[in-house]
Amino acid sequence: MAIAKAAPHEEGTRPDRQDARDRKAPHEGPDEHNRQDRPTERVPQARQVPQARRGVQEEAAGAAVAVGASDRPARLSSPLVLTMLLLLMVLLQSPVRRALSAPVMQSWMTVFVAVVVQALPFLVLGVLLSAAIAVYVPPSFFARALPARPALAVPVAGLAGAVLPGCECASVPVAGALVRRGVTPAAALAFLLSAPAINPIVLTATAVAFPRDPEMVLARFAASLLAACAMGWLWQRLGRTDWLRLPAHAPHEGESRGEAFWDSVRHDVMHAGGFLVVGAMAAATLKAVAPASWLRTAADNPAVAVLTLALLAVILSICSEADAFVAASLTQFSLTARLAFLVVGPMIDLKLFAMQAGTFGRGFALRFAPATFALAIASALLTGWVLL
């Protein structure tokens, strides 16, 4: 009986439990759907967080760039500098006019303008011809034209400079190309020294600068050729291979001929033109500012005069197409002293020393420059004593 009564009770309770579960089902159903939907809703939120972070980082980076750009000093462009100079000249025109009207400044400007105007056409012509030779004449031409014996190759290479116009800025890379193509270093160095000193452009400029002293043209030719050959023979006798660093590559390698030509023209005009201006300013300053007693004291002593102008040629570093006009303006000094100025300048000066050290090595330049300076002075003295 107990069992029979319990069964109906259990059967009666099962529907109650099922009803309870059915009553909970409406509440559990949406929860299950919400749990299933949550991952799909979290994915875009997880993607949005890095995007928001990146946006904040980009804004911060942009702000930092803006702050850094505001902190950087503004670069001065060429038009801005020119405009500022013009405005400064307009504002200071009265003081500038009074300063330029002084007799000393009038003399200074006369000498400066005369030197620049006389030398500029020869400088431009020499630069154009030098660029044409450096680009369009193959270095193998020199190797075929020179004798095999070094003792004979030195004077032939020195004389080759008489028919190949070019300033000293162009002679250094040409000499480097000769050494790289197998030409004996003694011959290449003789060409390096003679080409900027005895070429037709330089000799023509010398004749124009010294119209009343035509013997200066012959004296410059003879003294420069003598110094170049003597230095070549000296190197052939005493020079060592480890003193000379061979150039690694051509200066215009990888460029077309037109590009190399105009690059060479721009380079030589900027360098030679700048040194011409500096040389003209120095000559005008010596002429107008230096006391006449100092110049007379230096000019009256022949040895001091030669050494003074030789050192001045090294310091001024004037292009060989223009140095004759600077030398002609130094009328206080003798022709022999001015000849030393013309012989030393194209062979060794500050810019040539830097170029030679960069092309052939510093050890070479430290040995080559003093010997060239001494031989150039000796050649000028000997030639001046014979011809002047």
Side-chain angles (χ1 to χ4, degrees):
M1 292 295 292
I3 296 174
K5 291 181 181 179
H9 178 72
E10 291 177 359
E11 292 177 0
T13 57
R14 286 175 185 172
D16 295 337
R17 294 176 181 175
Q18 184 67 29
D19 294 338
R21 283 196 295 267
D22 293 338
R23 284 194 298 269
K24 291 180 180 180
H27 299 285
E28 293 176 354
D31 292 338
E32 292 295 328
H33 289 295
N34 292 337
R35 291 192 189 101
Q36 294 177 0
D37 293 341
R38 281 172 189 171
T40 59
E41 293 177 358
R42 288 174 183 175
V43 171
Q45 291 178 358
R47 292 178 181 175
Q48 289 176 1
V49 170
Q51 292 178 359
R53 291 178 180 175
R54 282 197 296 269
V56 172
Q57 292 176 355
E58 291 177 358
E59 292 178 359
V65 170
V67 172
S70 62
D71 293 340
R72 293 175 185 172
R75 294 183 178 180
L76 295 178
S77 59
S78 298
L80 180 59
V81 172
L82 181 59
T83 304
M84 293 174 64
L85 288 177
L86 291 177
L87 290 176
L88 186 62
M89 292 294 293
V90 171
L91 294 175
L92 301 178
Q93 57 179 337
S94 298
V96 170
R97 189 182 298 112
R98 286 195 299 268
L100 294 179
S101 61
V104 174
M105 289 303 301
Q106 292 288 334
S107 177
W108 189 92
M109 292 181 60
T110 300
V111 176
F112 174 78
V113 173
V115 171
V116 172
V117 170
Q118 284 182 318
L120 195 58
F122 295 96
L123 177 64
V124 173
L125 179 60
V127 165
L128 292 175
L129 292 178
S130 173
I133 291 170
V135 173
Y136 294 103
V137 177
S140 58
F141 168 78
F142 302 100
R144 292 193 303 265
L146 293 176
R149 295 181 58 183
L152 295 178
V154 167
V156 173
L159 287 172
V163 296
L164 295 176
C167 67
E168 57 267 30
C169 298
S171 65
V172 174
V174 172
L178 292 177
V179 175
R180 190 174 58 253
R181 295 300 178 91
V183 176
T184 176
L189 295 178
F191 176 84
L192 168 68
L193 297 177
S194 66
I198 64 174
N199 66 70
I201 303 299
V202 171
L203 296 179
T204 303
T206 305
V208 174
F210 292 91
R212 298 181 180 179
D213 301 297
E215 64 273 13
M216 283 292 290
V217 180
L218 179 60
R220 181 173 193 176
F221 177 87
S224 300
L225 182 60
L226 177 60
C229 293
M231 191 61 208
W233 285 323
L234 182 64
W235 182 268
Q236 180 64 29
R237 182 72 176 175
L238 303 177
R240 291 168 49 181
T241 306
D242 57 346
W243 290 350
L244 187 66
R245 184 186 67 191
L246 298 181
H249 56 81
H252 301 295
E253 188 175 354
E255 297 179 347
S256 65
R257 288 189 172 183
E259 293 175 350
F261 176 80
W262 289 114
D263 286 346
S264 179
V265 169
R266 284 192 294 267
H267 175 272
D268 290 347
V269 165
M270 293 298 295
H271 283 73
F275 286 113
L276 169 62
V277 172
V278 172
M281 293 173 64
T285 303
L286 288 175
K287 189 78 172 179
V289 178
S293 59
W294 293 5
L295 297 179
R296 281 195 302 267
T297 301
D300 291 341
N301 191 327
V304 175
V306 171
L307 186 59
T308 299
L309 289 191
L311 291 174
L312 188 64
V314 174
I315 295 173
L316 294 183
S317 304
I318 308 173
C319 186
S320 58
E321 280 91 353
D323 59 356
F325 300 97
V326 176
S329 66
L330 303 174
T331 55
Q332 300 90 341
F333 295 87
S334 64
L335 290 178
T336 301
R338 285 183 278 178
L339 177 63
F341 180 88
L342 297 177
V343 175
V344 171
M347 293 188 177
I348 180 62
D349 55 30
L350 295 180
K351 73 175 185 300
L352 272 178
F353 180 83
M355 294 179 67
Q356 291 169 4
T359 303
F360 299 109
R362 186 175 60 179
F364 165 82
L366 291 175
R367 295 176 175 89
F368 187 75
T372 302
F373 182 79
L375 285 177
I377 292 179
S379 300
L381 289 174
L382 179 60
T383 305
W385 179 70
V386 173
L387 298 178
L388 302 178

